[in-house]
Amino acid sequence: MSNRMWGGRFASGPAEIMEEINASIGFDKRLAPQDIRGSLAHVAMLGAAGILPAEDVAAIEAGLKSVRDEIEAGTFVFRRELEDIHMSVESRLTEIVGPGAGRLHTARSRNDQVATDMKLWVRDTLDALDGQAAELQRALAEKALAHAGTVMPGFTHLQSAQPVTFGHHCLAYVEMLARDRGRFRDARARLNECPLGAAALAGTSFPIDRHATAAALGFDRPTANSLDSVADRDFALEALSAASICAVHLSRFAEELVVWTSAQFNFVRLSDGYTTGSSIMPQKRNPDAAELVRAKAGRIVGALMGLLMVMKGLPLAYSKDMQEDKEGTFDALQALSLCLAAMTGMVKDLEPVTEVLARAAGSGFSTATDLADWLVRELGMPFRQAHHVTGRLVGVAAGKGVGLEALTLAEMQEAEPRITEAVYAVLGVENSVASRISYGGTAPDNVRTQAHGWIARLDGESR
């Protein structure tokens, strides 16, 4: 039989495969809270505008709240033949209220309804992700403060470059997350226009008050073009784009944790809470949480690519293709939420192995740049010449299998006669990091200042 919610034009029901491909209730039921919020705002506006009588408004509002209670209690029955969350809610509302429930759909369409629901869900989720990212920033800033002076190797090309501090490394991710949060907030600001009342695509002839429904739902304003209102999914694309960049940041840190916890590095340790064992090798402690954060970046970026491909060829206004906006968006943003939670837990849990980090910080001639800078600063040597002299001394030290600090003064003076004993003061890793006092540099005092600043800023946000 035809679908009784919209089947007047159809004499028979859909083919089995049509029902299979068409139904979205299996995933869009998570929009139930947003759908009911939108319906409550809509019916209140219909009453205030004199489009529906007060008794109908009261009955519909009471019925919607009953449906909401059933969904929250887990007793609501989602029926596949009703296709989606909108028809599921309306069908149950009709059972509770009677035929008058059908008046709820006056001056709206499923097209503007689903666009509103999705915007509400994405907005709620962006707010939650912003809060989670702030929690991770705090964990990193607190770890940075605790290890502002803990030296470690800094890398370029995954080769020892210059000594830095562990706290400085943590603060690099605090900065990345700050930009991620900025993108979440930018996306939220742009999506915060209400599509409700655009109807199917052309607006409506009823004297509705779209500003009232927009305000009731916390939007800044109603959308200005009815075609764009129902055809727009760039709010989901922008949220997925921001999520993808954040996921890549988390994936990079996860990769470092995987490397750092290996026996070959042993830079940090994670507890049993964020590692797993092996089914065959009893000695193993695998950083599975970090590996899964790294892997989930693929799902998140994939969702962005998938929705871009869905939208790229669609004419205005609504097409059923746009039903494909939901599963990927739901999955990706939920995955990012899980990644942020896992990474926050790992940051709080991890402990740097300070003696290993200190030893590694001095390896690979990591203070060579300090030597070159000394030649420029103390001897007035052009940097390119200083680079050349330092390179010769690195070659001598490598040939002897020692660090630069182990070369004798005579060996250094063979490369540059003006070198004095004072040069040894810059060759230790502690001296190296302490000298990096430029704004944004790794000097421990800089790190403490930045960490305190971030903690104070985060405290201010939470008030």
Side-chain angles (χ1 to χ4, degrees), residues 237 240 299-312 324-325 328:
L237 289 169
L240 289 172
R299 292 175 67 167
I300 296 166
V301 175
L304 170 61
M305 295 300 105
L307 185 53
L308 282 168
M309 292 303 99
V310 168
M311 297 301 299
K312 71 174 182 62
E324 291 295 311
D325 64 345

PDB file of all heavy atoms in Angstrom, residues 237 240 299-312 324-325 328:
ATOM      1  N   LEU A 237      29.798  20.715   4.931  1.00  0.00           N
ATOM      2  CA  LEU A 237      31.124  20.632   4.316  1.00  0.00           C
ATOM      3  C   LEU A 237      32.148  21.414   5.123  1.00  0.00           C
ATOM      4  O   LEU A 237      33.277  20.956   5.331  1.00  0.00           O
ATOM      5  CB  LEU A 237      31.070  21.168   2.884  1.00  0.00           C
ATOM      6  CG  LEU A 237      30.342  20.291   1.862  1.00  0.00           C
ATOM      7  CD1 LEU A 237      30.131  21.060   0.567  1.00  0.00           C
ATOM      8  CD2 LEU A 237      31.127  19.007   1.604  1.00  0.00           C
ATOM      9  N   LEU A 240      32.954  19.554   8.285  1.00  0.00           N
ATOM     10  CA  LEU A 240      33.812  18.417   7.982  1.00  0.00           C
ATOM     11  C   LEU A 240      35.222  18.857   7.614  1.00  0.00           C
ATOM     12  O   LEU A 240      36.204  18.168   7.927  1.00  0.00           O
ATOM     13  CB  LEU A 240      33.209  17.580   6.855  1.00  0.00           C
ATOM     14  CG  LEU A 240      31.956  16.790   7.212  1.00  0.00           C
ATOM     15  CD1 LEU A 240      31.345  16.165   5.957  1.00  0.00           C
ATOM     16  CD2 LEU A 240      32.267  15.708   8.245  1.00  0.00           C
ATOM     17  N   ARG A 299      38.907   8.256   8.100  1.00  0.00           N
ATOM     18  CA  ARG A 299      37.443   8.253   8.030  1.00  0.00           C
ATOM     19  C   ARG A 299      36.907   9.674   7.958  1.00  0.00           C
ATOM     20  O   ARG A 299      35.950   9.972   7.233  1.00  0.00           O
ATOM     21  CB  ARG A 299      36.865   7.564   9.266  1.00  0.00           C
ATOM     22  CG  ARG A 299      37.148   6.086   9.331  1.00  0.00           C
ATOM     23  CD  ARG A 299      36.663   5.482  10.626  1.00  0.00           C
ATOM     24  NE  ARG A 299      35.214   5.503  10.740  1.00  0.00           N
ATOM     25  CZ  ARG A 299      34.556   4.817  11.666  1.00  0.00           C
ATOM     26  NH1 ARG A 299      35.213   4.076  12.533  1.00  0.00           N
ATOM     27  NH2 ARG A 299      33.240   4.885  11.717  1.00  0.00           N
ATOM     28  N   ILE A 300      37.504  10.560   8.735  1.00  0.00           N
ATOM     29  CA  ILE A 300      37.000  11.927   8.812  1.00  0.00           C
ATOM     30  C   ILE A 300      37.249  12.662   7.498  1.00  0.00           C
ATOM     31  O   ILE A 300      36.349  13.305   6.946  1.00  0.00           O
ATOM     32  CB  ILE A 300      37.641  12.638  10.018  1.00  0.00           C
ATOM     33  CG1 ILE A 300      37.198  11.946  11.312  1.00  0.00           C
ATOM     34  CG2 ILE A 300      37.270  14.112  10.038  1.00  0.00           C
ATOM     35  CD1 ILE A 300      38.010  12.316  12.538  1.00  0.00           C
ATOM     36  N   VAL A 301      38.472  12.569   6.995  1.00  0.00           N
ATOM     37  CA  VAL A 301      38.782  13.203   5.709  1.00  0.00           C
ATOM     38  C   VAL A 301      37.953  12.556   4.600  1.00  0.00           C
ATOM     39  O   VAL A 301      37.470  13.235   3.685  1.00  0.00           O
ATOM     40  CB  VAL A 301      40.285  13.113   5.407  1.00  0.00           C
ATOM     41  CG1 VAL A 301      40.604  13.663   4.016  1.00  0.00           C
ATOM     42  CG2 VAL A 301      41.086  13.883   6.461  1.00  0.00           C
ATOM     43  N   GLY A 302      37.750  11.250   4.681  1.00  0.00           N
ATOM     44  CA  GLY A 302      36.944  10.549   3.679  1.00  0.00           C
ATOM     45  C   GLY A 302      35.508  11.046   3.645  1.00  0.00           C
ATOM     46  O   GLY A 302      34.903  11.152   2.569  1.00  0.00           O
ATOM     47  N   ALA A 303      34.949  11.367   4.808  1.00  0.00           N
ATOM     48  CA  ALA A 303      33.578  11.891   4.845  1.00  0.00           C
ATOM     49  C   ALA A 303      33.490  13.233   4.134  1.00  0.00           C
ATOM     50  O   ALA A 303      32.512  13.517   3.425  1.00  0.00           O
ATOM     51  CB  ALA A 303      33.112  12.023   6.296  1.00  0.00           C
ATOM     52  N   LEU A 304      34.506  14.059   4.322  1.00  0.00           N
ATOM     53  CA  LEU A 304      34.532  15.346   3.616  1.00  0.00           C
ATOM     54  C   LEU A 304      34.575  15.127   2.109  1.00  0.00           C
ATOM     55  O   LEU A 304      33.811  15.745   1.354  1.00  0.00           O
ATOM     56  CB  LEU A 304      35.745  16.160   4.065  1.00  0.00           C
ATOM     57  CG  LEU A 304      36.051  17.428   3.257  1.00  0.00           C
ATOM     58  CD1 LEU A 304      34.893  18.415   3.326  1.00  0.00           C
ATOM     59  CD2 LEU A 304      37.343  18.068   3.747  1.00  0.00           C
ATOM     60  N   MET A 305      35.447  14.250   1.657  1.00  0.00           N
ATOM     61  CA  MET A 305      35.555  13.987   0.222  1.00  0.00           C
ATOM     62  C   MET A 305      34.253  13.408  -0.333  1.00  0.00           C
ATOM     63  O   MET A 305      33.801  13.759  -1.426  1.00  0.00           O
ATOM     64  CB  MET A 305      36.701  13.022  -0.060  1.00  0.00           C
ATOM     65  CG  MET A 305      38.091  13.550   0.283  1.00  0.00           C
ATOM     66  SD  MET A 305      38.522  15.040  -0.647  1.00  0.00           S
ATOM     67  CE  MET A 305      38.347  16.290   0.618  1.00  0.00           C
ATOM     68  N   GLY A 306      33.631  12.525   0.452  1.00  0.00           N
ATOM     69  CA  GLY A 306      32.385  11.915   0.010  1.00  0.00           C
ATOM     70  C   GLY A 306      31.277  12.927  -0.194  1.00  0.00           C
ATOM     71  O   GLY A 306      30.566  12.910  -1.214  1.00  0.00           O
ATOM     72  N   LEU A 307      31.115  13.853   0.761  1.00  0.00           N
ATOM     73  CA  LEU A 307      30.044  14.834   0.635  1.00  0.00           C
ATOM     74  C   LEU A 307      30.349  15.852  -0.461  1.00  0.00           C
ATOM     75  O   LEU A 307      29.436  16.308  -1.159  1.00  0.00           O
ATOM     76  CB  LEU A 307      29.807  15.538   1.975  1.00  0.00           C
ATOM     77  CG  LEU A 307      28.619  16.503   2.020  1.00  0.00           C
ATOM     78  CD1 LEU A 307      27.324  15.838   1.548  1.00  0.00           C
ATOM     79  CD2 LEU A 307      28.439  17.080   3.422  1.00  0.00           C
ATOM     80  N   LEU A 308      31.607  16.184  -0.644  1.00  0.00           N
ATOM     81  CA  LEU A 308      31.961  17.061  -1.761  1.00  0.00           C
ATOM     82  C   LEU A 308      31.527  16.446  -3.090  1.00  0.00           C
ATOM     83  O   LEU A 308      30.996  17.132  -3.970  1.00  0.00           O
ATOM     84  CB  LEU A 308      33.473  17.326  -1.776  1.00  0.00           C
ATOM     85  CG  LEU A 308      33.997  18.348  -0.761  1.00  0.00           C
ATOM     86  CD1 LEU A 308      35.521  18.269  -0.693  1.00  0.00           C
ATOM     87  CD2 LEU A 308      33.562  19.758  -1.128  1.00  0.00           C
ATOM     88  N   MET A 309      31.745  15.143  -3.225  1.00  0.00           N
ATOM     89  CA  MET A 309      31.364  14.475  -4.466  1.00  0.00           C
ATOM     90  C   MET A 309      29.849  14.386  -4.623  1.00  0.00           C
ATOM     91  O   MET A 309      29.321  14.472  -5.733  1.00  0.00           O
ATOM     92  CB  MET A 309      31.978  13.065  -4.524  1.00  0.00           C
ATOM     93  CG  MET A 309      33.491  13.039  -4.664  1.00  0.00           C
ATOM     94  SD  MET A 309      34.096  13.940  -6.119  1.00  0.00           S
ATOM     95  CE  MET A 309      34.582  15.517  -5.388  1.00  0.00           C
ATOM     96  N   VAL A 310      29.133  14.225  -3.514  1.00  0.00           N
ATOM     97  CA  VAL A 310      27.665  14.217  -3.583  1.00  0.00           C
ATOM     98  C   VAL A 310      27.143  15.551  -4.100  1.00  0.00           C
ATOM     99  O   VAL A 310      26.252  15.616  -4.949  1.00  0.00           O
ATOM    100  CB  VAL A 310      27.064  13.915  -2.193  1.00  0.00           C
ATOM    101  CG1 VAL A 310      25.557  14.203  -2.179  1.00  0.00           C
ATOM    102  CG2 VAL A 310      27.312  12.455  -1.807  1.00  0.00           C
ATOM    103  N   MET A 311      27.714  16.629  -3.603  1.00  0.00           N
ATOM    104  CA  MET A 311      27.159  17.955  -3.869  1.00  0.00           C
ATOM    105  C   MET A 311      27.622  18.567  -5.187  1.00  0.00           C
ATOM    106  O   MET A 311      26.985  19.488  -5.699  1.00  0.00           O
ATOM    107  CB  MET A 311      27.527  18.910  -2.724  1.00  0.00           C
ATOM    108  CG  MET A 311      26.959  18.511  -1.375  1.00  0.00           C
ATOM    109  SD  MET A 311      25.151  18.389  -1.339  1.00  0.00           S
ATOM    110  CE  MET A 311      24.692  20.070  -1.748  1.00  0.00           C
ATOM    111  N   LYS A 312      28.702  18.074  -5.754  1.00  0.00           N
ATOM    112  CA  LYS A 312      29.370  18.811  -6.829  1.00  0.00           C
ATOM    113  C   LYS A 312      28.520  18.982  -8.087  1.00  0.00           C
ATOM    114  O   LYS A 312      28.720  19.929  -8.831  1.00  0.00           O
ATOM    115  CB  LYS A 312      30.691  18.133  -7.209  1.00  0.00           C
ATOM    116  CG  LYS A 312      30.502  16.810  -7.956  1.00  0.00           C
ATOM    117  CD  LYS A 312      31.813  16.255  -8.447  1.00  0.00           C
ATOM    118  CE  LYS A 312      31.605  14.971  -9.219  1.00  0.00           C
ATOM    119  NZ  LYS A 312      30.783  15.167 -10.431  1.00  0.00           N
ATOM    120  N   GLU A 324      22.460  11.767   1.539  1.00  0.00           N
ATOM    121  CA  GLU A 324      23.777  11.204   1.826  1.00  0.00           C
ATOM    122  C   GLU A 324      24.660  12.144   2.643  1.00  0.00           C
ATOM    123  O   GLU A 324      25.826  11.836   2.890  1.00  0.00           O
ATOM    124  CB  GLU A 324      24.487  10.851   0.513  1.00  0.00           C
ATOM    125  CG  GLU A 324      23.863   9.683  -0.226  1.00  0.00           C
ATOM    126  CD  GLU A 324      23.976   8.378   0.547  1.00  0.00           C
ATOM    127  OE1 GLU A 324      25.086   8.058   1.014  1.00  0.00           O
ATOM    128  OE2 GLU A 324      22.943   7.684   0.702  1.00  0.00           O
ATOM    129  N   ASP A 325      24.119  13.280   3.047  1.00  0.00           N
ATOM    130  CA  ASP A 325      24.914  14.191   3.877  1.00  0.00           C
ATOM    131  C   ASP A 325      25.042  13.693   5.311  1.00  0.00           C
ATOM    132  O   ASP A 325      25.959  14.102   6.028  1.00  0.00           O
ATOM    133  CB  ASP A 325      24.294  15.598   3.883  1.00  0.00           C
ATOM    134  CG  ASP A 325      22.908  15.648   4.522  1.00  0.00           C
ATOM    135  OD1 ASP A 325      22.284  14.591   4.711  1.00  0.00           O
ATOM    136  OD2 ASP A 325      22.431  16.766   4.806  1.00  0.00           O
ATOM    137  N   GLY A 328      27.846  10.188   6.756  1.00  0.00           N
ATOM    138  CA  GLY A 328      29.248  10.575   6.811  1.00  0.00           C
ATOM    139  C   GLY A 328      29.506  11.672   7.821  1.00  0.00           C
ATOM    140  O   GLY A 328      30.502  11.637   8.553  1.00  0.00           O
TER     141      GLY A 328
END
